[in-house]
Amino acid sequence: MNLLLAEVAQATQRLADAGVPSPRNDAEELAAYVHQVKRGALHTVKDSDFDARYWEAIARREAREPLQHITGLAYFRYLELQVGPGVFVPRPETESVVGWAIDAVRAMDVVEPLVVDLCSGSGAIALALAQEVPRSTVHAVELSEDALVWTRKNVEGSRVQLHQGDAFGALPELDGQVDLVISNPPYIPLTEWEYVAPEARDHDPQMALFSGEDGLDTIRGIERTAHRLLRPGGIVVVEHADTQGGQVPWIFTEEKGWADAADHPDLNNRPRFATARKALP
């Protein structure tokens, strides 16, 4: 075992003791980042090339600073995104939400689908749809100026059209024309603050996390926006907490003009997102 791998083993234990959910993964990711090699090539780093800044990075992660803030990068489906303070770090569970949406758009009998991503954050969802549905037109809406610093970096050179604005009043010029509205909105109840992981609670923007006493205030607003934007037969996809699976589909009721409201599990078989179709006239 070379010096770096021995240090990674020690770092893994330190991160585990600090309660980091994936200590081995993070210890290796930080070693690769500091030494500018792939994770699979850590064994090739010479002992003389060991960089003591590795332990600075481990100390930051030990204090529960997000891994992605330390490296400045987040990976989402086929994307490498720039992230940092001020923007919500995309999570792996959202990948299954986007996968469902991509399949739904591809199944539509529409040559050039029109898509709107509300509460876009880093731009992960919008960029994934633009990349994987090549003939789509994708609009991303984000309110926070701090988040937009990162969104602009990520969407630069892409086909995503970025708009600063509130999700509730977004894009009136597209009313009744959109094929898919998708969102990973804030959905944590204010009463759950103390139970949120430190990485999110202390580093993700509060605006991207919390939404009223039951966590559903923003989703209720998105329901109204989605109904306004979508064409008849268009689809809305909204991520939610795994504890809200029994509640969110009921926001998209027949009385409000929706059909086929349903919930869907993530890769861990936990309720993760709701979908509905705008009813035909």
Side-chain angles (χ1 to χ4, degrees):
M1 180 182 292
N2 66 1
L3 175 61
L4 179 55
L5 290 180
E7 300 292 87
V8 166
Q10 291 185 45
T12 299
Q13 188 58 55
R14 272 181 57 174
L15 295 181
D17 292 343
V20 171
S22 50
R24 182 77 191 188
N25 172 83
D26 292 13
E28 291 183 354
E29 285 283 355
L30 290 172
Y33 165 70
V34 169
H35 295 88
Q36 297 185 312
V37 297
K38 299 286 188 183
R39 274 178 69 181
L42 294 176
H43 66 282
T44 68
V45 176
K46 299 176 183 177
D47 290 356
S48 58
D49 290 336
F50 175 77
D51 192 331
R53 288 178 298 179
Y54 176 57
W55 286 108
E56 296 175 16
I58 291 297
R60 291 171 65 184
R61 188 69 188 100
E62 195 174 20
R64 304 301 290 273
E65 184 176 348
L67 172 70
Q68 297 86 350
H69 282 198
I70 302 170
T71 65
L73 296 173
Y75 299 94
F76 187 84
R77 292 182 70 86
Y78 305 106
L79 301 167
E80 181 181 275
L81 302 164
Q82 298 183 63
V83 296
V87 71
F88 181 81
V89 174
R91 276 28 177 204
E93 52 264 31
T94 305
E95 295 189 18
S96 58
V97 182
V98 175
W100 190 97
I102 288 169
D103 289 342
V105 173
R106 288 174 175 168
M108 292 177 179
D109 188 19
V110 178
V111 176
E112 297 180 345
L114 182 57
V115 176
V116 172
D117 171 27
L118 300 173
C119 308
S120 192
S122 67
I125 292 174
L127 284 162
L129 277 152
Q131 182 184 72
E132 297 180 56
V133 187
R135 299 193 68 176
S136 61
T137 298
V138 181
H139 295 265
V141 179
E142 175 55 51
L143 178 61
S144 165
E145 191 63 61
D146 291 337
L148 279 164
V149 171
W150 300 98
T151 328
R152 291 187 183 106
K153 290 180 180 180
N154 290 322
V155 305
E156 185 178 3
S158 76
R159 293 184 297 104
V160 172
Q161 300 178 41
L162 180 60
H163 310 264
Q164 181 173 14
D166 189 298
F168 301 158
L171 304 172
E173 66 274 17
L174 298 181
D175 283 0
Q177 304 172 52
V178 178
D179 297 296
L180 177 87
V181 172
I182 186 168
S183 182
N184 178 15
Y187 51 68
I188 300 175
L190 290 168
T191 52
E192 299 293 311
W193 184 89
E194 62 187 292
Y195 304 110
V196 177
E199 287 86 348
R201 185 188 65 219
D202 300 337
H203 297 279
D204 278 325
Q206 304 290 294
M207 181 189 295
L209 297 178
F210 300 101
S211 186
E213 289 300 312
D214 64 356
L216 300 177
D217 284 1
T218 303
I219 293 178
R220 293 187 185 98
I222 284 173
E223 179 273 323
R224 294 188 291 271
T225 301
H227 196 272
R228 169 173 60 80
L229 288 172
L230 288 170
R231 61 166 173 80
I235 294 172
V236 62
V237 182
V238 183
E239 183 171 333
H240 57 68
D242 55 10
T243 56
Q244 295 168 331
Q247 305 170 60
V248 176
W250 288 101
I251 293 174
F252 299 86
T253 61
E254 292 184 10
E255 290 77 14
K256 294 178 181 176
W258 296 100
D260 305 325
D263 225 350
H264 305 266
D266 60 19
L267 295 177
N268 295 312
N269 209 33
R270 296 176 299 197
R272 179 57 58 191
F273 62 102
T275 64
R277 187 181 304 274
K278 184 175 178 177
L280 299 174

